[in-house]
Amino acid sequence: QVELVETGGGQVETGGSLRLSCAASGRTDKIFGMAWFRQTPGNERECVGVIDRSGGSTWYPDTVKGRFTISRDNAQNTMSLQMNSLKPEDTAVYYCAASNRWHLPGPASNLYDYWGQGTQVTVSS
């Protein structure tokens, strides 16, 4: 089994930055592509970044492109999300996700097999 734990959430003012981290443990050899998602009450989870197994390929939706950067360190079994120029609409619970099937999964949540418990990010105006 794989366990994912997110850290780094918190409250920041508009225009500020936060860095989220995701630590993986357990059968980390089963982890291929990874991603960050976010969710607000009453809405589906939205993918905000995908990274392939090697860390060499990434994908972002237009809503965060140029502001968010996803990275991973396979030696440390960690993944990060650097979030800059934050906006109030970035407020959400952010989740770390990992796939045991796809090297570069897409943004659909059903492509991921392991999920963290989530961390709250609040951007005040």
Side-chain angles (χ1 to χ4, degrees):
Q1 188 62 304
V2 172
E3 182 178 356
L4 303 174
V5 177
E6 304 97 336
T7 56
Q11 184 166 347
V12 65
E13 293 186 350
T14 296
S17 298
L18 277 177
R19 186 177 182 87
L20 305 183
S21 294
C22 173
S25 61
R27 289 294 306 274
T28 57
D29 59 302
K30 290 182 174 291
I31 295 176
F32 290 174
M34 299 184 74
W36 287 96
F37 284 76
R38 66 187 181 188
Q39 188 172 27
T40 53
N43 294 305
E44 294 185 357
R45 289 187 183 183
E46 173 195 12
C47 184
V48 295
V50 178
I51 189 165
D52 75 341
R53 189 175 193 179
S54 71
S57 295
T58 57
W59 175 89
Y60 304 94
D62 289 342
T63 50
V64 307
K65 193 176 294 182
R67 301 188 298 121
F68 289 12
T69 303
I70 190 171
S71 61
R72 67 190 289 176
D73 182 339
N74 290 334
Q76 298 294 324
N77 295 314
T78 59
M79 178 179 65
S80 296
L81 184 68
Q82 178 65 41
M83 304 185 292
N84 298 329
S85 302
L86 284 163
K87 306 174 181 180
E89 52 263 44
D90 294 318
T91 295
V93 177
Y94 283 71
Y95 296 90
C96 167
S99 175
N100 65 9
R101 295 168 285 156
W102 305 102
H103 284 265
L104 183 60
S109 61
N110 63 2
L111 298 176
Y112 297 86
D113 306 285
Y114 309 108
W115 293 85
Q117 81 290 349
T119 186
Q120 177 70 46
V121 171
T122 302
V123 184
S124 57
S125 56

